[in-house]
């Protein structure tokens, strides 16, 4: 589907972003591991969490729905079943990487596959350490899905120092570790999203700047009875749109405010954005608030390297804000962006090129020469079938002087199925 968008003068109103994609997927997987029934409220209808939900059923969980609540009967760690067919992770790196940890730990044999984007993303980062824990993994060209995982040798718990600040890798290793007789210790020096350790209540030691997270068979898997908060990464599109469009005020209800996820809020504040947080509270193990954003004049910023994992999914929309921020903004140390659903540095560069913005592409990021008075005629944006590029392009399109088109815009549904309806509500 190609989406034609008219420019808009301002955005106003209140919306609730879809349930958090990362937390939904974890709620499903941890419910599978829980020996009993979990009642999960506000599970995300987006494509990635739905792929994960199908996969846990293939591994033996029983899922029913009543009045918007999912009842997930887990198998417990001892009851996980080898699936009859491939586990189809769709577009989801989180599903593939976290489930690979579960399958290794459980010692069942399974084949994980995905769409053309997922099967072109490297899985080496999980293959090598899972093999050290005793898994036998057959991968296409030794690096790509489909992954055929089995384990004949006993599980070998390990101390694992994260070579990259990736929450998917961290969670994969912790999930495998949950099946071990002795603890697996995952050592993290640059913090990444901490939903796994929060929701599983894992033991954490601090050693200087390092966090050492422990997981073993001794850890009880709690039920997942909570309401999943709105996705901060989905709210991010409206946070930037609200800043950029004149006379705008947008209220983003029930938005997750996990401090390992919300760097964009602090970065935009440093750029001059005005936000008010209301109704601050905790849902399950996660902080939640309503965010009110208003039109703001923005100035350029350098994004510090150690903040990257905390805003990695928001960099496409942050780049849009930078186009209209006074001065030179720099994103560097973001090479991980090249390994997302698409090469997002290339995709952001292409998006900025489509409007004639002034920028430089670097191997590990972008330098953007911003101008609050920048104008452009409508453009045709390629989404590269990447949900976050489609939605960032849509926000950019609203600032054009004439209509724009987003190609293959349906991919927004990977994380945000009602994005286009919310745009209409706010316009
Ligand atoms: C995620 C972790 C991040 C993020 C992705 C979701 C997760 O990936 O980009 O959208 O749910 O753990 P990496 O672990 O590859 O950084």
């Amino acid at each position: 589907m190609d989406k034609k968008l008219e420019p808009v003068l301002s955005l106003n109103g209140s919306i609730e972003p879809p349930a958090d994609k990362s937390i939904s997927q974890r709620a499903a997987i941890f419910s599978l591991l829980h020996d009993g029934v979990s009642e999960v409220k506000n599970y995300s209808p987006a494509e990635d969490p739905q792929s994960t939900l199908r996969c846990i059923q293939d591994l033996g969980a029983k899922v029913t729905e009543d009045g918007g609540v999912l009842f997930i009967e887990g198998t417990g760690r001892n009851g996980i079943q080898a699936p009859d067919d491939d586990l189809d992770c769709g577009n989801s790196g989180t599903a593939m990487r976290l489930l690979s940890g579960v399958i290794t730990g459980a010692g069942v044999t399974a084949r994980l596959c995905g769409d053309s984007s997922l099967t072109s993303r490297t899985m080496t980062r999980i293959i090598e350490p899972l093999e050290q824990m005793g898994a036998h993994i057959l991968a296409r060209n030794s690096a790509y899905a489909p992954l055929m995982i089995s384990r004949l040798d006993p599980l070998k718990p390990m101390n694992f120092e994260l070579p990259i600040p990736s929450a998917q890798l961290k969670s994969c290793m912790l999930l495998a570790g949950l099946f071990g007789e002795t603890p697996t210790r995952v050592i993290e020096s640059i913090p990444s999203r901490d939903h796994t350790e929060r929701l599983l209540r894992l033991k954490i030691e601090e050693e200087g700047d390092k966090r050492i997270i422990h997981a073993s068979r001794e850890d009880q898997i709690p039920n997942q009875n909570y309401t999943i908060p709105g996705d901060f990464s989905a709210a991010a599109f409206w946070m930037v749109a609200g800043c950029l469009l004149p006379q705008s005020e947008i209220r983003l209800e029930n938005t997750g405010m996990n401090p390992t996820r919300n760097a964009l809020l602090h970065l935009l504040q440093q750029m001059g954005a005005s936000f008010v947080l209301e109704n601050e509270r905790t849902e399950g193990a996660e902080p939640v608030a309503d965010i009110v954003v208003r039109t703001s004049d923005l100035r350029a910023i350098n994004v510090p390297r150690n903040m990257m994992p905390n805003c990695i999914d928001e960099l496409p929309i942050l780049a849009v804000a930078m186009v209209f921020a006074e001065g030179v903004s720099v994103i560097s140390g973001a090479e991980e962006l090249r390994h997302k659903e698409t090469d997002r540095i290339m995709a952001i560069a292409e998006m900025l090129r489509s409007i004639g913005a002034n920028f430089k592409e670097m191997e590990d990021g972008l330098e953007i020469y911003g101008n609050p008075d920048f104008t452009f005629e409508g453009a045709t944006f390629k989404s590269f079938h990447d949900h976050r590029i489609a939605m960032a392009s849509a926000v950019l399109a609203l600032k054009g002087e004439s209509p724009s088109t987003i190609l293959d815009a349906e991919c927004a549904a990977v994380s945000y199925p009602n994005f286009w309806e919310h745009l209409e509500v706010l316009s």
Side-chain angles (χ1 to χ4, degrees), residues 140-417:
R140 189 174 49 84
N141 291 342
S142 309
Y144 301 97
L147 303 179
M148 181 79 190
I149 306 184
S150 55
R151 179 170 61 75
L152 294 175
D153 301 327
L155 187 73
K156 295 188 225 94
M158 68 185 286
N159 289 338
F160 180 67
E161 182 134 16
L162 285 163
I164 37 171
S166 157
Q168 292 177 355
L169 174 56
K170 170 172 68 176
S171 304
C172 167
M173 295 303 286
L174 291 169
L175 287 168
L178 280 175
F179 292 79
E181 297 301 330
T182 56
T184 285
R185 294 186 191 84
V186 177
I187 304 147
E188 177 178 71
S189 22
I190 302 178
S192 61
R193 66 190 66 193
D194 65 357
H195 306 304
T196 296
E197 42 283 38
R198 266 177 197 256
L199 297 169
L200 290 174
R201 303 180 206 141
L202 297 177
K203 179 177 153 205
I204 301 173
E205 279 174 280
E206 312 252 333
E207 242 179 48
D209 284 351
K210 294 189 172 159
R211 289 168 83 238
I212 304 169
I213 312 154
H214 297 232
S216 79
R217 194 164 266 291
E218 294 288 297
D219 293 296
Q220 297 296 315
I221 312 283
N223 67 41
Q224 302 295 309
N225 296 354
Y226 49 85
T227 304
I228 297 181
D231 198 328
F232 181 87
S233 304
F237 297 102
W238 308 121
M239 288 165 64
V240 170
C243 288
L244 294 183
L245 292 160
Q247 290 166 11
S248 295
E249 180 173 318
I250 306 175
R251 188 185 178 85
L252 301 159
E253 289 173 3
N254 290 329
T255 304
M257 290 297 294
N258 182 309
T260 60
R261 285 283 294 283
N262 68 1
L264 179 80
L265 183 107
H266 304 296
L267 291 168
L268 287 172
Q269 277 171 331
Q270 282 175 44
M271 292 171 84
S274 144
F275 295 110
V276 179
L277 297 184
E278 292 175 1
N279 266 325
E280 291 184 70
R281 60 203 183 277
T282 304
E283 285 285 359
E286 295 281 343
V288 178
D290 299 345
I291 306 175
V292 182
V293 52
R294 298 197 179 91
T295 312
S296 310
D297 292 331
L298 300 182
R299 48 185 179 272
I301 196 176
N302 266 346
V303 184
R305 244 164 208 276
N306 62 355
M307 259 196 177
M308 279 311 154
N310 193 323
C311 61
I312 192 81
D313 289 344
E314 288 69 68
L315 292 174
I317 190 63
L318 181 60
V320 171
M322 287 170 166
V323 171
F324 301 96
E326 179 77 55
V328 185
S329 290
V330 184
I331 298 172
S332 57
E335 44 281 286
E336 268 298 298
L337 267 188
R338 295 210 182 264
H339 306 290
K340 295 294 174 188
E341 284 82 334
T342 186
D343 171 348
R344 284 196 178 146
I345 295 182
M346 170 283 294
I348 295 170
E350 192 61 31
M351 172 177 79
L352 300 185
R353 210 167 279 127
S354 315
I355 57 164
N358 200 356
F359 72 98
K360 192 167 93 193
E361 178 180 343
M362 301 175 298
E363 196 38 46
D364 67 343
L366 296 138
E367 231 172 64
I368 298 177
Y369 312 102
N371 172 5
D373 300 321
F374 179 74
T375 55
F376 62 96
E377 287 306 316
T380 297
F381 295 101
K382 287 188 201 153
S383 67
F384 298 94
H385 300 275
D386 180 326
H387 54 132
R388 300 201 197 281
I389 299 298
M391 293 185 279
S393 304
V395 170
L396 195 46
L398 304 179
K399 291 280 289 175
E401 300 285 305
S402 50
S404 293
T405 303
I406 320 292
L407 302 179
D408 305 306
E410 72 284 348
C411 59
V414 162
S415 60
Y416 199 159

